[in-house]
Amino acid sequence: MSDWQPKRFWKQAQAEACEDGFTVLLDGRPVRTPAKAPLAVPTHTMADAIAKEWDAQDKVIDPRTMPVTRGANAAIDKVRTQRDEVIAMLAEYGDSDLLCYRAAGPEGLIQKQAEAWDPMLDWAADALGVRLAVGEGVMHVAQNPEALGKLRDELAAFDEFALAAVHDLISLSGSLILALGVTREAVAVEKAWLLSRVDEHWQIAQWGEDEEATAAEAIKRQAFEDAARFYRFSLT
């Protein structure tokens, strides 16, 4: 039983308008989420991307090749049902944002972190009205409660589909500021990912590349890019 995989049973997947937005039909039958909720998404672009993922399945269904479908399922089954808890969890990243924790040395790493991260913190101060404090090492850096409240308000403004995407952008990068920068198009997706990997890439430059770590990063980078694409699909 553990080797069982769901098999393709449909001939055609098609995006269609529905009462709550757009859905996907498999041979005329609407797709449902794993929790058996109707799959209704906010844009035709998202529904069409989901339909293409279903059409691309061969003999068995491989969810790993269906990031837009997974994102929609998460938005409907998880984020929608526990929205306040998701917002609270993500808001905590503002109090421990990657960009705020700097190395005490060596000087080369200190400079690279400052060059990479200071512009994003400056952007947050200008665009969001949020100035986060910076410290050295891993000890907690206390942040202004008013600033954290503004970041929470930013998260609360997203619908469940955008919030599902932002969840992945934050958790994969370790930075609420980078995630918001991506959603506001203040930083390109590819650059945001590289900014989140300054420490790791410094270590690679010093000690060389580890094949397993490189493979793991490639998977995370693809997931980050998928999340950014899902966010765009949630809008138009």
Side-chain angles (χ1 to χ4, degrees):
M1 291 296 292
S2 61
D3 294 330
W4 180 84
Q5 290 180 294
K7 296 181 180 180
R8 177 164 181 158
F9 56 85
W10 66 95
K11 293 182 180 179
Q12 183 183 34
Q14 186 173 0
E16 292 282 353
C18 67
E19 182 177 354
D20 296 318
F22 300 88
T23 191
V24 174
L25 304 179
L26 303 180
D27 295 341
R29 291 177 293 180
V31 172
R32 289 184 173 270
T33 70
K36 307 304 181 185
L39 183 78
V41 300
T43 68
H44 185 272
T45 305
M46 182 179 290
D48 186 59
I50 292 172
K52 288 177 179 176
E53 288 181 346
W54 284 84
D55 255 343
Q57 301 306 299
D58 194 8
K59 294 181 180 180
V60 296
I61 302 172
D62 184 357
R64 295 172 299 179
T65 65
M66 307 173 76
V68 186
T69 303
R70 295 199 316 271
N73 288 339
I76 296 168
D77 287 349
K78 297 180 180 179
V79 178
R80 180 179 292 170
T81 60
Q82 48 188 346
R83 176 181 173 82
D84 290 344
E85 292 88 343
V86 172
I87 291 172
M89 177 188 68
L90 296 180
E92 290 180 359
Y93 277 86
D95 199 34
S96 59
D97 198 286
L98 168 73
L99 308 189
C100 298
Y101 291 83
R102 307 297 176 87
E107 187 60 36
L109 178 56
I110 293 173
Q111 183 176 349
K112 281 189 175 295
Q113 289 177 337
E115 290 173 350
W117 297 345
D118 285 356
M120 290 305 305
L121 293 178
D122 291 341
W123 168 80
D126 293 339
L128 308 177
V130 173
R131 171 60 73 180
L132 294 181
V134 174
E136 288 185 357
V138 297
M139 295 297 293
H140 178 251
V141 179
Q143 301 293 347
N144 186 317
E146 182 180 352
L148 297 179
K150 289 181 178 180
L151 290 176
R152 184 187 178 95
D153 290 343
E154 289 287 328
L155 293 167
F158 293 121
D159 69 14
E160 59 264 37
F161 292 90
L163 199 55
V166 171
H167 171 278
D168 288 353
L169 291 174
I170 295 173
S171 61
L172 288 164
S173 68
S175 173
L176 177 50
I177 298 303
L178 285 178
L180 293 177
V182 169
T183 65
R184 290 194 173 212
E185 298 184 343
V187 59
V189 177
E190 298 82 1
K191 182 177 180 180
W193 176 252
L194 293 176
L195 291 178
S196 77
R197 307 298 291 181
V198 169
D199 291 353
E200 290 80 3
H201 291 175
W202 167 265
Q203 293 297 328
I204 290 172
Q206 304 308 305
W207 308 106
E209 195 170 55
D210 177 87
E211 290 186 5
E212 290 187 7
T214 299
E217 177 174 346
I219 292 172
K220 291 180 180 179
R221 178 172 184 158
Q222 184 60 58
F224 189 81
E225 293 173 356
D226 288 340
R229 185 165 62 106
F230 186 81
Y231 177 78
R232 294 194 299 270
F233 287 166
S234 76
L235 302 179
T236 57

